[in-house]
Amino acid sequence: MMQSKWILCSCGRAQHDQPSPEQFGKCCHEKISPLLWRIPILVWSLSIMCWSLSQFWGPLELFPLYMTHWGLLLIAMEITLGIIVTLKAPTMRYNDATFGLPWYVKVYWLLYNVTIPVAFLITVFYWGILKSSGKIEKYAPNPVLDVMLHGGNSVVMLVELLCSAHPSRVLHIFQPLLFALAYLLFTVIYYFAGGQDPWGNHFIYPVIDWSRPQHTLVVVALTGLFLALMHLLVVAAAAARDALARKLRSTTGIYNDGFGEEP
């Protein structure tokens, strides 16, 4: 009897800490399907990707150099998997008695945790640092595309954040930071391998120039701190979203545990 009671209590805590798989395919407002915003975002991301490729300012093999394009690819991947999760939501269940989420839900949650703060970072970094440096006129041959790449990205991810039903958690802060670290290591390797940008410079961005390591490390450190702040703001926004959704419903709504277990 004691053992059975312990198992039931343990399962109850696991269920409380771990969101249900169905949450990832739902809107915080029960009567709205996530397909209403996820399909348009997918169309937007693929359209902007094609437009960016057609308007790229250098050889296409250099297209993957830029964080902006990494962020755009993240949006397309995250929203595609979000659509798949939405379509599978009615039949989703926990994988096992430990309440493990299906693998595709875990991957979606990981991409969600990375893509949203990175999109906000790209917008602020571009307009606040790169644009103000006065050294990037060549990076924006089309002003409308410029806004779509460095502003539209944050708008569509804000929609994803404010309309989704699953939680964001403080403990997942390492996920966007690891992504940023991967890009940082890429810039270091590219520099020491003798890589150049489309205009023959030995850097990808003028403010991340490893020939000036002290200046670059300061920029990198501040950028990392800002990305961490963006993640915390995402967690706060998700908590506020869920609190509002609960208030608008007479029954208990979505539980957003910012300190729960990892996906």
Side-chain angles (χ1 to χ4, degrees):
M1 177 68 74
M2 289 293 293
Q3 185 177 9
S4 300
K5 185 176 181 181
W6 181 86
I7 291 173
L8 288 173
C9 290
S10 297
C11 290
R13 285 195 298 270
Q15 206 165 12
H16 175 76
D17 291 337
Q18 187 77 294
S20 67
E22 294 89 346
Q23 275 184 255
F24 293 86
K26 292 183 178 180
C27 176
C28 59
H29 303 289
E30 293 179 338
K31 296 182 179 180
I32 299 175
S33 168
L35 296 178
L36 291 179
W37 75 82
R38 287 179 179 165
I39 290 177
I41 290 176
L42 177 60
V43 172
W44 176 89
S45 63
L46 295 178
S47 300
I48 298 302
M49 181 74 74
C50 293
W51 191 6
S52 299
L53 286 166
S54 68
Q55 295 284 312
F56 186 57
W57 48 83
L60 288 183
E61 59 267 23
L62 299 183
F63 186 83
L65 290 183
Y66 297 95
M67 172 66 88
T68 296
H69 300 148
W70 286 36
L72 188 59
L73 180 61
L74 275 177
I75 291 173
M77 293 169 57
E78 186 268 351
I79 215 69
T80 297
L81 204 51
I83 291 171
I84 293 172
V85 170
T86 301
L87 293 174
K88 293 179 72 68
T91 60
M92 282 195 296
R93 298 292 182 270
Y94 286 111
N95 266 351
D96 49 45
T98 64
F99 300 98
L101 296 171
W103 69 267
Y104 52 88
V105 174
K106 292 181 179 180
V107 174
Y108 167 69
W109 198 5
L110 171 64
L111 288 172
Y112 176 94
N113 291 334
V114 172
T115 304
I116 295 176
V118 166
F120 297 161
L121 172 68
I122 288 171
T123 296
V124 175
F125 186 84
Y126 182 79
W127 297 106
I129 298 178
L130 288 177
K131 201 74 171 178
S132 62
S133 70
K135 300 178 180 179
I136 59 167
E137 291 81 3
K138 298 177 182 178
Y139 290 69
N142 187 304
V144 177
L145 178 59
D146 193 29
V147 173
M148 290 294 100
L149 284 170
H150 305 105
N153 61 330
S154 288
V155 171
V156 297
M157 284 296 97
L158 183 62
V159 171
E160 171 80 335
L161 168 62
L162 296 181
C163 294
S164 297
H166 55 276
S168 296
R169 290 176 171 167
V170 172
L171 291 178
H172 294 157
I173 193 170
F174 70 92
Q175 294 174 349
L177 291 176
L178 284 177
F179 173 81
L181 179 61
Y183 183 78
L184 178 64
L185 292 176
F186 168 73
T187 67
V188 173
I189 293 170
Y190 191 75
Y191 170 77
F192 284 103
Q196 297 179 350
D197 73 354
W199 302 282
N201 300 306
H202 289 282
F203 54 71
I204 298 175
Y205 292 108
V207 295
I208 305 179
D209 182 358
W210 291 105
S211 66
R212 299 187 297 158
Q214 291 182 334
H215 172 269
T216 298
L217 286 173
V218 170
V219 172
V220 167
L222 292 175
T223 302
L225 289 173
F226 184 79
L227 181 58
L229 175 62
M230 288 299 97
H231 177 80
L232 296 178
L233 289 177
V234 167
V235 173
R241 172 203 71 198
D242 295 346
L244 179 61
R246 286 195 298 271
K247 187 175 181 180
L248 293 175
R249 294 196 300 265
S250 57
T251 58
T252 301
I254 303 157
Y255 178 75
N256 181 57
D257 179 8
F259 297 90
E261 296 178 354
E262 304 172 11

